[in-house]
Amino acid sequence: MSIFPIVTYDHSGLRTPAEPIPENNDGLPEFIDNLFDTMHQAGGVGLAAPQVGIPLQLFVVDADIMTEEEDGTKHGPGVFINPEVTPVGDEEWDAEEGCLSLPDVREKVTRPYRIKIRYFDREFQVREEEHEGWYARVLQHEFDHLKGVLFIDYLGSFRKRLLRGKLQNIIDGKVETEYLVVAKNADR
Ligand SMILES: [Zn+2]
């Protein structure tokens, strides 16, 4: 078991579009286990490979703790390789999001309510599913990480301006976390 440090705001790893993963990738099962360990240790419900500085199209999710409380649904742990997410219908909704790479930042984000996701699972079997509500939100948030997108990118300029101080604190490594992080300007 290895725990990776999580890269935080302004780290170039969060802005680098991730590469597709070829089938028969030897190190993949171990990497996936380590991603789960890192996510669980950090108390997150989702973690994308770019958040540990690895630019691959892969994220893991274990969101039952959130979805059961928020809308009473259970999904179990999921591994999503080379995913593609597309909205289904026009319905959108707002909810507050956070991110292990943006400690202390929580903001309301508008997203499609229902999505379709096509991906390869841990056994590299192709799957296609539709999800809605909180689980769909988590999947969209993680999918964004594979494109170098953060949830704060959806905020208006006024909200972004209010966040400047918090973001600078993250860059400077001044935010306390209960998990290992890599801050861009911190002396570690
Ligand atoms: Zn995130």
Side-chain angles (χ1 to χ4, degrees):
M1 166 169 147
S2 304
I3 303 286
F4 301 117
I6 293 175
V7 303
T8 55
Y9 179 67
D10 216 22
H11 193 287
S12 59
L14 293 175
R15 295 304 192 181
T16 311
E19 299 287 330
I21 299 176
E23 204 176 342
N24 304 319
N25 185 317
D26 279 348
L28 198 57
E30 192 186 342
F31 180 61
I32 290 169
D33 289 343
N34 291 337
L35 266 188
F36 270 113
D37 289 341
T38 302
M39 175 181 70
H40 287 139
Q41 193 270 338
V45 295
L47 186 65
Q51 290 182 275
V52 298
I54 307 292
L56 292 177
Q57 291 181 15
L58 161 69
F59 62 79
V60 297
V61 164
D62 192 356
D64 285 353
I65 193 167
M66 172 196 273
T67 60
E68 255 195 303
E69 186 182 314
E70 298 288 355
D71 56 21
T73 60
K74 275 183 98 158
H75 306 272
V79 175
F80 297 83
I81 298 168
N82 302 340
E84 292 162 41
V85 170
T86 39
V88 176
D90 302 327
E91 195 182 339
E92 294 190 324
W93 67 303
D94 293 343
E96 216 174 68
E97 295 187 20
C99 179
L100 293 174
S101 295
L102 293 160
D104 265 7
V105 177
R106 294 198 66 81
E107 290 288 332
K108 208 180 267 184
V109 180
T110 306
R111 293 193 187 269
Y113 184 73
R114 191 169 285 111
I115 56 135
K116 185 190 286 183
I117 185 164
R118 186 181 186 278
Y119 65 99
F120 294 87
D121 66 12
R122 206 189 166 106
E123 281 72 45
F124 241 90
Q125 297 301 305
V126 67
R127 286 172 176 268
E128 200 169 301
E129 297 162 2
E130 268 190 42
H131 293 289
E132 60 182 36
W134 279 96
Y135 194 65
R137 178 171 290 277
V138 173
L139 296 177
Q140 290 175 81
H141 177 118
E142 297 310 324
F143 179 62
D144 277 351
H145 278 303
L146 307 186
K147 297 181 293 180
V149 173
L150 299 173
F151 77 88
I152 53 170
D153 299 346
Y154 296 106
L155 304 178
S157 54
F158 180 69
R159 290 301 313 166
K160 269 188 196 150
R161 202 169 323 144
L162 293 180
L163 276 179
R164 260 188 213 159
K166 275 190 175 180
L167 295 176
Q168 191 60 47
N169 284 342
I170 298 174
I171 294 172
D172 294 338
K174 287 181 184 160
V175 179
E176 292 276 325
T177 52
E178 286 174 8
Y179 48 94
L180 214 53
V181 295
V182 183
K184 191 182 179 189
N185 296 342
D187 218 353
R188 1 179 135 214

